[in-house]
Amino acid sequence: MTHEESPGSQINGASRFDAVIVGAGFAGMYMLHRLRALGLSVRVFETGDGVGGTWYWNRYPGARCDVESLEYQYGFSDDIQREWDWTERYAAQPEILRYQNYVADKLDLRKDIQFSTRVTSADYDARSGEWTVETDRGDHVQTRFCIMATGCLSAARIPDFPGVRDFEGETYHTGAWPHEGVDFTGKRVGVIGTGSSGIQSTPIIAEQASHLTVFQRTANFTLPAGNRPLSPEEVRKSKETLLADREHARQTPGGLICFEYNEALAEEMTPEAREKELSDRWTQGGFAFLGSYGDIMATPEANDIAADFARAQMRAVIKDPAIVDILLPDDHPVGVKRLCLDTHYLETFNLPHVDIVDVRAAPIERISRSGIVSGGREYEVDAIVFATGFDAMTGAILGVDITGRDGMKLRDKWAAGPRTYLGLGSAGFPNLFFITGPGSPSVLSNMIVSIEQHVDWITDCLSRLTSGNIRSIEATPDAEDQWVAHVNELAGETLYPQANSWYMGANIPGKPRVFMPYTGGVDVYGQKLDEVAQADYEGFRLGA
Ligand code: N01
């Protein structure tokens, strides 16, 4: 079997399940596997026509993970990791999607997944203690537990530029890329956005396009990923240690072991020692750079040193001084927007047919029938690529109309920002779980480690509830208030809130400005999860 994408299988037409899972990415797939093993009846609803989540949708040219493949894989099964051989240090999207399809085949997951189906609403009925879940295909199912495995970066967003519908050429969003691929050969292309997706796709699109114009609002810190093939020896060795490595990863702040954090503060190091640390880690590639010393994300002066170093490296690659001025970030600390890992991104701007437009200085006014208008000038293009990001962390959850106790809408409750206890549940919404929800480490960590941490916790919880004849679990308002305050306080001790990032909801006009992930680290967070479970779910109310 090749583990290419397989279509969804026929599933039975039952209308009641012990658990409904929304989404069949890494989180939904593992959650299904664990709950089935508990003996629960489970239905997964998935909008796409295959498994994969993020890796199903983000098929843009150059899409590649920014966590090393030997760490960005499931750690729960010795069999799976022994059978699967990764080929590159940072796996490209097709390889990750093949892996997910292999896992779905191996665990026979598809028989419980209903594909091409979007969940539209979930309503809680206090009398029956059940949720009613409805879909855009007319499903109407009852369930005791409802688990949102909807992903943190899955609600793709195109800004509401005037005239966007009038454009007569082709338009694409990186997060909803056509499955058959796109051939830009000989075309004039405009890419809007210079986050990870724009930075990864730009060099590849430039190889095909006759002319490429990149529209940048915020210059981003980017460093060479240092991608390379993995040797058979590396792959073999990793299999011997993966399960122990995963255990080790859970004891780190980022859920990663490919680098260690240097705990010394910047001021405790000599300038030479700092320079060496930064330089070695820049060369190593990946997020190691942000572990160069202990206060890089906490102290402006410490961060400035790293930011200056990064700018010097970036400057050295770009030939045209006018382009240097545009491409070098100078309005936010390094790392507070997601650091980008690239392959020849900056070099692309040395090519004669590639331009950059600074839309901070000259904002995009509108999309015309034939191009993009910025600063009073029309840039004619045949195709526009929107690399404009996502309504992150809350967009996909709130995309479902969720109604809890006493008719309370989650959208209303979260109008001023998401409110959760541990990122797992929200008061007033019994038996509703979020996997890697806002208020958990999620996007600041290796997502697979955080997904497994949540899935394991939820599985254990549901096992104890069902065996103890406990009907419901629900965060208490007090525990939630304290957790939200704690998450905010921790974020306030870092430099993260200083940037207009999607972590802050700042990329969506009108979205509340709240730093959404938990900055305390996977290790500390994991201890808290264990303590809560051991204390009979302290901070949750259990209902008979
Ligand atoms: O989205 P983004 P992304 N006018 O939000 C610009 C993960 N990921 O899809 O910065 C003009 O980062 C916006 O400008 P600004 C990763 O966690 C991982 O690239 O808001 N420009 C920005 O430049 C990543 O962080 C991988 O000023 C507008 C861009 O669009 C996350 O997904 C690969 C605009 C959006 O950048 C999101 O990345 C890809 C407007 N009105 C993604 N609105 C890897 O694993 C937005 N922009 C490597």
Side-chain angles (χ1 to χ4, degrees), residues 294-347:
D295 49 349
I296 205 165
M297 301 302 292
T299 317
E301 299 73 23
N303 189 283
D304 283 348
I305 297 167
D308 284 344
F309 180 92
R311 278 187 285 268
Q313 306 304 309
M314 292 171 66
R315 183 181 291 111
V317 181
I318 310 161
K319 289 190 179 141
D320 181 343
I323 295 185
V324 168
D325 284 345
I326 299 175
L327 278 174
L328 288 199
D330 62 1
D331 67 349
H332 60 276
V334 61
V336 299
K337 283 169 92 90
R338 174 87 164 198
L339 191 62
C340 298
L341 308 191
D342 74 85
T343 303
H344 306 312
Y345 173 66
L346 297 172
E347 292 87 333

Side-chain angles (χ1 to χ4, degrees), residues 68 95 212 289 405 506:
E68 299 196 21
E95 185 171 16
L212 173 62
F289 183 72
R405 223 179 251 297

Side-chain angles (χ1 to χ4, degrees), residues 22-320:
V22 187
F26 271 110
M29 290 168 64
Y30 181 42
M31 192 79 249
L32 168 62
H33 174 62
R34 293 297 315 270
L35 293 189
R36 249 180 8 194
L38 279 189
L40 302 188
S41 61
V42 189
R43 166 65 45 89
V44 181
F45 291 109
E46 164 57 51
T47 307
D49 64 7
V51 298
T54 285
W55 303 103
Y56 171 94
W57 296 104
N58 285 268
R59 301 175 188 233
Y60 60 84
R64 192 177 285 287
C65 191
D66 56 5
V67 172
E68 299 196 21
S69 45
L70 298 181
E71 301 210 53
Y72 193 82
Q73 60 177 323
Y74 285 126
F76 68 86
S77 159
D78 207 23
D79 270 3
I80 288 175
Q81 62 102 11
R82 279 185 195 286
E83 284 175 17
W84 187 265
D85 293 333
W86 294 100
T87 64
E88 291 184 274
R89 182 179 175 198
Y90 296 99
Q93 174 273 334
E95 185 171 16
I96 301 175
L97 190 57
R98 274 200 304 280
Y99 170 77
Q100 292 174 303
N101 275 279
Y102 147 74
V103 173
D105 290 340
K106 183 167 178 69
L107 303 179
D108 195 13
L109 296 180
R110 289 190 184 80
K111 66 180 182 205
D112 292 314
I113 305 175
Q114 183 173 319
F115 292 100
S116 306
T117 307
R118 178 180 286 280
V119 170
T120 51
S121 66
D123 281 273
Y124 181 71
D125 176 11
R127 270 176 308 175
S128 64
E130 299 254 310
W131 287 89
T132 301
V133 173
E134 293 187 329
T135 76
D136 64 354
R137 298 259 303 258
D139 301 284
H140 185 92
V141 302
Q142 309 296 317
T143 183
R144 190 164 150 205
F145 302 108
C146 185
I147 302 169
M148 304 299 284
T150 38
C152 295
L153 292 156
S154 42
R157 177 187 161 265
I158 293 182
D160 197 11
F161 295 118
V164 71
R165 286 195 181 76
D166 302 336
F167 182 64
E168 289 173 350
E170 305 153 29
T171 56
Y172 306 97
H173 189 287
T174 48
W177 202 260
H179 291 196
E180 62 281 10
V182 181
D183 183 3
F184 291 113
T185 304
K187 296 195 171 143
R188 297 165 302 169
V189 182
V191 172
I192 302 178
T194 54
S196 299
S197 304
I199 281 179
Q200 286 187 333
S201 55
T202 286
I204 317 276
I205 294 173
E207 286 171 13
Q208 294 182 343
S210 63
H211 194 93
L212 173 62
T213 311
V214 176
F215 295 82
Q216 173 195 276
R217 186 166 67 182
T218 306
N220 237 326
F221 287 97
T222 181
L223 84 167
N227 188 36
R228 57 175 175 75
L230 289 171
S231 72
E233 184 57 12
E234 276 174 290
V235 175
R236 190 192 62 71
K237 273 176 112 175
S238 77
K239 290 174 194 271
E240 287 168 9
T241 56
L242 182 109
L243 297 188
D245 288 348
R246 181 51 53 95
E247 189 47 43
H248 179 185
R250 288 193 197 101
Q251 311 307 326
T252 67
L256 289 167
I257 60 164
C258 58
F259 67 90
E260 294 204 354
Y261 293 87
N262 175 16
E263 290 185 3
L265 303 182
E267 65 179 16
E268 295 168 347
M269 300 164 72
T270 63
E272 296 74 27
R274 271 194 315 248
E275 179 82 8
K276 177 163 178 4
E277 198 75 38
L278 290 165
S279 170
D280 288 352
R281 287 166 183 264
W282 186 272
T283 310
Q284 180 183 345
F287 293 109
F289 183 72
L290 295 179
S292 294
Y293 35 84
D295 49 349
I296 205 165
M297 301 302 292
T299 317
E301 299 73 23
N303 189 283
D304 283 348
I305 297 167
D308 284 344
F309 180 92
R311 278 187 285 268
Q313 306 304 309
M314 292 171 66
R315 183 181 291 111
V317 181
I318 310 161
K319 289 190 179 141
D320 181 343

